Amino acid sequence: MFLSVFDVFKIGIGPSSSHTMGPMLAAGRFLEDLANGTWPRAARARPAAITASLHGSLAFTGIGHGSDRAVILGLAGAHPQTVDPDAMETILAEIGRTGLVHPPGHPAYRFRPAVDLVLDKTNPLPGHPNGLQFCAWDGDGQLLLRRIYYSIGGGFVLTAEELEAMRTASPAVQDVPWPFADAAEMLDMARRSGLSIAAMKRANEEVRLSRRDLDHRLDAIWTTMSTCIDRGIAGSGELPGGLRVRRRAGAIHAQLAEKWQRNEIDPLMANDWLSLFAMAVNEENAAGGRVVTAPTNGAAGVIPAVLRYAVQFNAGTGNAAIRDFLLTAAAIGGIIKHRASISGAEVGCQGEVGSASAMAAAGLCAILGGTPAQVENAAEIALEHHLGMTCDPVGGLVQIPCIERNAFGAVKAVTAASLALKGDGTHAVPLDACIETMRQTGHDMSEKYKETSLGGLAVNVVAC
């Protein structure tokens, strides 16, 4: 099983990888299918209009997560990695005014957001809770093309056929030197090779990329994460969406910086810095800023927080260590995604913040000298203590409890790494068993606790 580090860590925009980045990418895929796909084309048929519908979790929390805006921007040709967050409002206003989208390389299509974009809460699509349907019509209102896509978490978008193939395909022989599909295989390969998890992951990546290109792209991931922390600290005011949640990272940073300058000893300082870094990222994410899926936007603050913490408090955390952290974290994230899910709409927040915490714990343990067995132990400890966590965003917004939840995920990650380093890697619950438990728990969990805002805090806070 090979999942690239750049499939796990994607540069995009907030507030959600599954509900914002995914729908934008799905719209782009539809435009590509419309222009170049293999579908029956009548001789004189010309696409003139597009309609779209969001289903399942996308319909229930789409407004709060910006799914509607993402679809509109995607149909205008925007891509999560390159769209200018400061230009999005202008693009949306122009489409709302004209009722037209002008994607590059296409003719203008009629698309009236208030009419042609439907949040369908009554008809879920069968493949996944995050379903989207796009249709193209000719000038006479005849249907030319219909496509269904699923945003399965972490910015991954699949057609119904691709999703079915992924679920039913037999494991293929991978053209990488270390094709571990689970943690047991990973540890066995590490024992036989004498390599670290990061070294095996690097060898797999270097089948496709030169060492220089790999390092350059890893550095770009960390630069984007670190810049997001700084932007979050510099931000102020209320977050969008109507909950009137105020940004807190800037004020917390001012307090911590003052204590830092005075060399004041504070027993809570380590946790405070971790919480600050995580909250800064997720406040920026909630504002629609540039973030990295890690492995999702809703959990985007955990890994940057732990890595910035390591850089700030451990003098040995240079560029090589940062790259090893990211490679190790991606190895764990790939196993979790392959064996269970990183989607809050599928398994609740245990799949988002829980996975991020496990990945961060593994990365930190690795760069602090942990053996592969200790790294696997750290990931298991962090994930185990997120099992059963629901996804119940208040108002459908990635704000309450998501922002603070990332802070706690970061603190748990550091605690897990510390505990693992104090042992020899021997432990009772294998990581694979913990991942399988998460999958089963998510399967059994009520849909109202899986990113629908139909239960938990999402209803009780509003009711109060």
Side-chain angles (χ1 to χ4, degrees):
M1 190 277 298
F2 175 75
L3 189 68
S4 173
V5 61
F6 305 110
D7 291 325
V8 177
F9 299 124
K10 300 187 185 77
I11 298 173
I13 58 168
S16 171
S17 50
S18 61
H19 286 54
T20 314
M21 289 174 59
M24 191 180 295
L25 292 168
R29 286 201 62 174
F30 180 71
L31 291 175
E32 177 63 23
D33 282 348
L34 188 58
N36 302 312
T38 55
W39 51 277
R41 291 173 169 82
R44 298 180 182 176
R46 296 290 183 272
I50 294 174
T51 59
S53 56
L54 308 182
H55 301 260
S57 175
L58 292 178
F60 282 104
T61 62
I63 298 298
H65 285 63
S67 305
D68 52 338
R69 293 158 53 89
V71 166
I72 300 167
L73 290 164
L75 290 176
H79 188 279
Q81 188 166 347
T82 56
V83 64
D84 180 359
D86 296 329
M88 293 191 299
E89 292 301 330
T90 301
I91 298 170
L92 292 166
E94 179 65 12
I95 295 170
R97 184 183 66 81
T98 65
L100 296 170
V101 290
H102 299 265
H106 291 254
Y109 300 119
R110 188 187 72 199
F111 185 79
R112 303 154 298 175
V115 176
D116 297 324
L117 178 58
V118 176
L119 275 69
D120 187 343
K121 298 180 180 179
T122 59
N123 299 294
L125 297 176
H128 189 276
N130 296 333
L132 307 93
Q133 180 173 263
F134 294 87
C135 295
W137 312 81
D138 68 13
D140 296 325
Q142 296 297 310
L143 178 65
L144 299 179
L145 178 66
R146 175 187 286 115
R147 286 286 187 267
I148 290 174
Y149 304 94
Y150 295 101
S151 178
I152 65 170
F156 289 87
V157 173
L158 300 175
T159 64
E161 294 76 18
E162 290 167 345
L163 184 63
E164 181 63 21
M166 182 186 75
R167 289 173 172 170
T168 59
S170 299
V173 177
Q174 301 291 312
D175 58 346
V176 294
W178 309 108
F180 48 84
D182 55 36
E185 286 186 350
M186 179 183 71
L187 290 178
D188 180 62
M189 291 179 186
R191 279 191 296 267
R192 289 189 287 109
S193 67
L195 296 174
S196 68
I197 294 168
M200 291 192 298
K201 186 65 176 171
R202 175 176 284 278
N204 289 346
E205 297 289 341
E206 288 179 356
V207 170
R208 294 164 173 79
L209 291 172
S210 70
R211 175 154 297 205
R212 180 178 178 180
D213 287 344
L214 175 59
D215 286 346
H216 176 74
R217 292 184 65 180
L218 288 170
D219 292 346
I221 293 295
W222 170 237
T223 297
T224 305
M225 288 179 171
S226 188
T227 300
C228 186
I229 292 174
D230 295 335
R231 285 176 58 90
I233 290 171
S236 61
E238 291 184 358
L239 294 170
L243 291 181
R244 308 210 66 181
V245 173
R246 296 190 62 80
R247 289 180 180 251
R248 289 181 283 168
I252 295 172
H253 180 263
Q255 296 175 45
L256 292 178
E258 184 179 351
K259 291 181 179 181
W260 185 272
Q261 290 168 1
R262 294 199 306 261
N263 290 321
E264 183 177 325
I265 298 175
D266 183 343
L268 300 178
M269 184 170 286
N271 282 359
D272 288 344
W273 281 103
L274 278 168
S275 298
L276 161 67
F277 296 147
M279 291 173 64
V281 170
N282 283 85
E283 287 176 358
E284 188 66 13
N285 177 64
R290 178 83 57 211
V291 298
V292 177
T293 64
T296 67
N297 283 33
V302 177
I303 288 170
V306 174
L307 191 44
R308 175 69 83 87
Y309 173 83
V311 169
Q312 181 160 323
F313 291 97
N314 179 28
T317 309
N319 289 338
I322 291 170
R323 295 165 190 155
D324 283 349
F325 184 111
L326 294 173
L327 289 166
T328 305
I332 299 301
I335 291 171
I336 294 173
K337 177 172 173 52
H338 178 63
R339 309 296 297 186
S341 175
I342 59 172
S343 168
E346 274 194 301
V347 297
C349 200
Q350 59 176 350
E352 296 203 30
V353 171
S355 297
S357 188
M359 294 163 66
L364 182 62
C365 184
I367 66 171
L368 293 180
T371 65
Q374 288 171 318
V375 169
E376 184 262 1
N377 188 13
E380 188 280 324
I381 293 170
L383 184 60
E384 179 181 331
H385 297 290
H386 285 87
L387 291 176
M389 181 175 284
T390 60
C391 183
D392 50 355
V394 175
L397 299 166
V398 193
Q399 297 178 19
I400 303 172
C402 317
I403 295 171
E404 289 181 354
R405 188 168 282 176
N406 275 256
F408 279 83
V411 171
K412 286 184 181 181
V414 173
T415 303
S418 179
L419 286 172
L421 286 167
K422 290 175 175 59
D424 62 1
T426 304
H427 57 110
V429 181
L431 176 59
D432 288 329
C434 192
I435 293 171
E436 174 59 18
T437 302
M438 184 182 79
R439 187 194 67 79
Q440 293 175 6
T441 302
H443 179 271
D444 294 340
M445 188 181 290
S446 169
E447 292 301 314
K448 68 182 181 179
Y449 297 120
K450 294 194 283 190
E451 209 166 359
T452 58
S453 290
L454 295 176
L457 287 176
V459 297
N460 287 303
V461 170
V462 174
C464 293

